[in-house]
């Protein structure tokens, strides 16, 4: 491990007090909730980061919405092709790998993510609940047409017309103003209901209903740790706030499970 990584690791280990270490070693029923910050260290800008290059003059909210798609579908589809290209060049980082280790080691642990990039799955996380869909899924925008497909070709832009009805294909993600997939939300809510321990990593907690999940778990008596270099509305209510990157904090938490 490089000296800088050792330093960062030592710093976050200082933040992990005995109570948190003991809780994890007890292997509680755990829910992991992640946001765009998890993929920041894979080179994927978060939603609240300023956009770069060609898209710097737009905010995601101006592109990830039914109104934007209605007004200029080609521009929205170009933006999603740009994001898929960026994601295709990215690899899961130490945070994604640590989430998989935690899911494997903690009995009944589940992952609920707001991320649509599929990097958790690439890191081996199974049964991830994708509250906001997945950028690699396409579905027909025509009302009544149920065509949906998974676009796995990382080397070419996604097709834009439905093979069944010829209408335009849109990304299988949840846009601003749209409802979340009912089953995914119900499962996430249920997991928050029964969790003893919640790890919230890389989310600003600005977008509901995902942002309400940790608070729901707190009301049921769960212990909550937040991992985020910045403070959020959850920071005050969480039992621990590890003010560092998920790529550093999550491996430190996972290592507690290896320690004798
Ligand atoms: N490690 C941990 N957290 C990080 C890191 C990192 N390396 N880098 C940035 N962050 C934090 C930021 O401080 C911020 O609080 O990640 C958070 C990212 O917040 P957002 O960009 O708002 O992303 P997210 O919370 O996932 O947004 C939720 O909003 O735009 C919609 O549908 C979109 O799923 C998205 C939802």
């Amino acid at each position: 491990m490089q000296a800088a990584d050792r330093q960062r690791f030592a710093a976050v280990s200082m933040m992990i007090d005995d109570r948190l270490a003991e809780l994890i070693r007890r292997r509680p029923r755990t829910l992991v909730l992640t946001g765009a910050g998890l993929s920041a260290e894979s080179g994927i800008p978060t939603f609240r980061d300023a956009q770069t290059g060609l898209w710097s003059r737009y905010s995601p909210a101006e592109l990830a919405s039914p109104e934007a798609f209605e007004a200029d579908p080609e521009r929205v589809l170009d933006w999603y092709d740009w994001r898929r290209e960026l994601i295709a060049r990215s690899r899961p980082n130490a945070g994604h790998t640590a989430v998989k280790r935690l899911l494997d080691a903690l009995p009944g642990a589940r992952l609920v993510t707001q991320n649509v990039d599929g990097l958790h799955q690439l890191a081996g996380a199974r049964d991830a609940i994708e509250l906001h869909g997945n950028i690699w899924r396409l579905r027909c925008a025509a009302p009544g047409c149920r065509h949906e497909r998974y676009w796995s070709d990382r080397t070419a832009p996604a097709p834009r017309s439905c093979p069944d009805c010829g209408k335009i294909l849109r990304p299988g993600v949840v846009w601003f103003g749209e409802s979340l997939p009912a089953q995914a939300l119900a499962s996430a809510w249920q997991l928050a209901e029964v969790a003893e321990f919640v790890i919230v990593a890389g989310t600003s907690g600005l977008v509901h209903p995902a942002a309400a999940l940790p608070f729901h778990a707190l009301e049921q008596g769960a212990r909550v740790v937040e991992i985020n270099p910045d403070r959020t509305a959850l920071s005050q209510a969480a039992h621990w706030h590890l003010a560092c990157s998920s790529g550093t904090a999550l491996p430190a938490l996972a290592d507690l499970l290896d320690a004798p």
Side-chain angles (χ1 to χ4, degrees):
M1 187 190 281
Q2 304 288 336
D5 292 341
R6 263 202 308 279
Q7 238 173 359
R8 258 206 312 273
F9 210 74
V12 75
S13 306
M14 300 283 281
M15 295 183 209
I16 298 174
D17 63 22
D18 292 347
R19 286 180 309 130
L20 177 52
E22 194 197 302
L23 172 63
I24 292 186
R25 289 197 184 109
R26 210 164 32 81
R27 285 170 161 69
R29 183 200 295 265
T30 302
L31 168 61
V32 182
L33 174 65
T34 64
L38 244 286
S39 299
E41 290 162 274
S42 295
I44 299 172
T46 67
F47 282 89
R48 270 85 205 167
D49 282 341
Q51 293 240 86
T52 52
L54 183 61
W55 302 100
S56 52
R57 62 185 184 284
Y58 297 103
S59 90
E62 292 171 279
L63 294 162
S65 74
E67 297 73 22
F69 186 68
E70 179 76 30
D72 189 342
E74 297 307 317
R75 176 164 69 191
V76 171
L77 294 181
D78 288 347
W79 181 55
Y80 276 92
D81 278 342
W82 174 77
R83 287 180 63 203
R84 273 192 282 265
E85 226 181 286
L86 184 65
I87 293 165
R89 290 199 303 271
S90 309
R91 305 301 313 145
N93 62 60
H96 295 105
T97 310
V99 166
K100 177 193 170 8
R101 286 169 61 201
L102 288 161
L103 294 176
D104 290 350
L106 293 167
R110 290 296 301 275
L111 167 63
V112 172
T113 186
Q114 300 169 88
N115 298 343
V116 298
D117 56 32
L119 289 185
H120 276 302
Q121 292 86 332
L122 265 187
R126 285 185 310 283
D127 307 329
I129 294 176
E130 296 177 303
L131 284 181
H132 296 162
N134 186 303
I135 201 168
W136 297 103
R137 258 211 294 281
L138 305 170
R139 64 180 165 84
C140 185
C145 179
R146 302 174 62 78
H147 180 82
E148 178 158 0
R149 68 188 297 190
Y150 194 74
W151 179 248
S152 54
D153 180 349
R154 266 60 172 151
T155 60
R160 295 194 176 187
S161 56
C162 175
D164 293 352
C165 73
K167 294 283 187 294
I168 192 164
L169 290 176
R170 56 161 285 180
V173 297
V174 178
W175 279 335
F176 285 100
E178 291 185 322
S179 347
L180 275 59
Q183 184 51 53
L185 183 56
S187 308
W189 204 255
Q190 173 56 22
L191 289 165
E193 186 94 6
V194 299
E196 295 172 309
F197 179 45
V198 183
I199 302 173
V200 183
T203 179
S204 58
L206 293 173
V207 174
H208 284 265
L213 289 168
F215 290 95
H216 185 57
L218 280 167
E219 280 159 21
Q220 316 303 317
R223 319 294 279 173
V224 175
V225 58
E226 179 187 37
I227 297 169
N228 192 326
D230 296 347
R231 291 188 68 81
T232 70
L234 178 65
S235 305
Q236 189 62 36
H239 296 86
W240 299 274
H241 175 221
L242 305 183
C244 63
S245 75
S246 46
T248 304
L250 285 166
L253 293 183
D255 283 358
L256 289 168
L257 291 164
D258 305 339

